[in-house]
Amino acid sequence: MQKLQAVSIQQVGTAGWHDYDHWLVLVLMFLLVGGLVMVASSSIALADRLHDNPLHYFQRQAIAAVLGLGLAFVIVRVPVALWQKLGVPLLALAIILLTLVLVPGVGREVNGSVRWIKLGPINFQASELAKLCIISYVAAYLAPLAETRHLSFRMFMPPLAVMTLLSGLLLLEPDYGTVVVIFLTTVGVLFLAGIPAGRFFLWLPVMVSALVALAVIPSYRLARLKAFIDPWQDPFNSGYQLIQSLIAFGRGEWFGVGLGSSVQKLFYLTQAHTDFIFAIAAEELGLLFSLLLASAFLFFIWRAFTIAAYAHQLRNYFAAYMAYGIGLLIGIQAFIHMGVNVGLLPTKGLTLPLFSYGANSIVVSCMLVAILLRIDLENRYPRGIRINRRGDGLAPA
């Protein structure tokens, strides 16, 4: 092992697939393949009506998954240190893209929100890439502070200011769901980085109050909150989505009604292939599959935090904060999606990472998993590895 660690880290990128975390790869493939199956099932009626092709959304999702895996194959070979150098440029890119979305004629409006930039046949969603950019920036900013003995609250102000700026741009789209995800992820990473607890818990209620105020000031968001409290007060308007979602869970029982046999996807539950795919999966495959799907995300979070903790022990602080951010981002978004579907949280349009329909979400999520796999590899071979001449794995120097 001592000889193994004496080799240059720049050679890590040529490792074989079996040198990466097998369980993490299996979770990735389970979510991607399971998501493709459920997108095909949940969208077949809608795709046939709108596009005269029952597999329209499945085909687009499959292309996105292949593209995401292709990018992951490239990114997993990129040294983690490069992402640290790109922290500020990526932040600048996110701000530029989120600003361009708001420019008339550039941003494309869908369902009342301007979140996409039209690039020929492709709709590019800037907010998805912004998630990766903010994690990279926050981790790069915090890494040099990791060994500072006397951390002050003032040291953590730049990431908070950046988060506020990005949140403001996102609210103009509007995209409140992404604001919540970015806010909770950033705050979580700051807390794990050692922000002074006293000041942190004094400041946190102020920010939470601001988020709550933003949630209730617009009339449509207030209606969603009222529907969340008692959806049966207005079952055919504000409470409609939640009621139909709960019906889907009720019909699924333990083992589901069978793949492809959902009734709720037949125009009862709107956005069945995106915001409410978890409910359709529960209806068709039952509570047991729902628990398995939730367990997959719990395992991902645990694995990300384990990788982050090990990187912290190795004093690779950027990698640690990056891994914490990735685990928090995907975990929080998955929790919100599932919480909305089961009525635990107010209705909010967020996809289930790596599972719901959405090309931008799939591609960026694959990129995040690839970065996490790379961090794990560099944790286990902190001074690099060498590939043997047969090219079939690692070998000592």
Side-chain angles (χ1 to χ4, degrees):
M1 179 62 70
Q2 295 298 325
K3 292 183 179 180
L4 186 65
Q5 293 179 344
V7 187
S8 169
I9 196 171
Q10 293 179 353
Q11 296 178 350
V12 176
T14 54
W17 75 269
H18 51 279
D19 298 314
Y20 298 96
D21 189 321
H22 292 180
W23 289 106
L24 206 53
V25 173
L26 285 175
V27 169
L28 170 65
M29 298 310 300
F30 167 73
L31 292 174
L32 281 179
V33 174
L36 282 171
V37 173
M38 285 312 307
V39 166
S41 177
S42 61
S43 66
I44 190 167
L46 181 66
D48 187 49
R49 170 178 288 187
L50 297 182
H51 304 282
D52 198 27
N53 177 9
L55 297 179
H56 172 81
Y57 294 109
F58 167 77
Q59 292 166 351
R60 294 174 68 90
Q61 185 80 339
I63 293 172
V66 171
L67 178 59
L69 290 175
L71 283 174
F73 184 79
V74 173
I75 289 174
V76 82
R77 287 161 167 72
V78 175
V80 177
L82 180 60
W83 291 102
Q84 185 172 3
K85 295 178 181 178
L86 292 175
V88 174
L90 284 175
L91 174 63
L93 175 63
I95 294 173
I96 292 171
L97 291 175
L98 291 175
T99 303
L100 284 176
V101 169
L102 302 174
V103 176
V106 177
R108 180 171 180 263
E109 182 177 345
V110 177
N111 295 330
S113 298
V114 184
R115 303 177 185 176
W116 293 266
I117 298 175
K118 186 72 173 177
L119 300 174
I122 301 174
N123 289 323
F124 175 73
Q125 190 172 358
S127 59
E128 289 296 333
L129 184 60
K131 296 174 183 176
L132 168 60
C133 296
I134 187 64
I135 294 175
S136 180
Y137 165 75
V138 171
Y141 176 82
L142 293 175
L145 303 177
E147 295 187 353
T148 303
R149 292 186 178 181
H150 301 290
L151 291 171
S152 65
F153 186 77
R154 185 178 300 176
M155 294 179 180
F156 295 91
M157 291 306 294
L160 295 176
V162 167
M163 179 193 66
T164 302
L165 173 61
L166 293 181
S167 298
L169 292 172
L170 288 167
L171 287 172
L172 291 175
E173 295 184 1
D175 191 353
Y176 184 77
T178 301
V179 170
V180 173
V181 171
I182 288 179
F183 167 80
L184 294 177
T185 300
T186 303
V187 169
V189 174
L190 291 175
F191 180 76
L192 293 169
I195 186 172
R199 295 283 186 90
F200 176 80
F201 287 110
L202 285 175
W203 166 84
L204 189 59
V206 177
M207 294 301 296
V208 172
S209 299
L211 286 176
V212 173
L214 290 171
V216 300
I217 290 175
S219 57
Y220 71 94
R221 290 181 187 152
L222 182 60
R224 287 179 178 178
L225 288 175
K226 291 180 178 179
F228 163 68
I229 296 172
D230 185 6
W232 298 102
Q233 284 187 352
D234 191 3
F236 298 105
N237 190 10
S238 59
Y240 179 80
Q241 285 282 77
L242 177 55
I243 290 173
Q244 298 302 317
S245 181
L246 294 176
I247 290 174
F249 278 94
R251 293 193 73 247
E253 298 184 348
W254 284 99
F255 302 103
V257 297
L259 184 63
S261 300
S262 166
V263 171
Q264 296 306 103
K265 70 184 180 184
L266 302 177
F267 308 107
Y268 290 100
L269 185 58
T270 59
Q271 308 299 326
H273 60 308
T274 54
D275 301 345
F276 286 91
I277 196 170
F278 185 59
I280 300 301
E283 182 184 6
E284 294 192 346
L285 302 177
L287 177 62
L288 293 182
F289 179 80
S290 301
L291 294 175
L292 177 63
L293 188 56
S295 299
F297 284 103
L298 287 174
F299 175 83
F300 180 89
I301 298 168
W302 169 80
R303 193 72 194 105
F305 273 52
T306 302
I307 292 170
Y310 190 38
H312 197 276
Q313 290 180 0
L314 296 173
R315 296 188 176 182
N316 189 353
Y317 300 115
F318 171 80
Y321 300 144
M322 192 77 179
Y324 280 132
I326 293 171
L328 285 169
L329 179 72
I330 292 182
I332 289 169
Q333 185 164 331
F335 172 76
I336 293 176
H337 176 97
M338 294 179 181
V340 166
N341 278 235
V342 301
L344 184 64
L345 296 172
T347 302
K348 173 44 58 189
L350 281 176
T351 59
L352 189 59
L354 297 167
F355 200 85
S356 294
Y357 175 77
N360 292 274
S361 176
I362 287 290
V363 170
V364 172
S365 296
C366 286
M367 294 170 65
L368 292 172
V369 176
I371 295 172
L372 189 60
L373 286 169
R374 176 69 189 204
I375 293 172
D376 173 65
L377 183 67
E378 292 191 12
N379 281 349
R380 289 183 284 114
Y381 303 99
R383 296 186 182 179
I385 59 176
R386 178 175 65 83
I387 306 305
N388 60 30
R389 291 184 179 180
R390 296 191 303 273
D392 55 0
L394 304 177

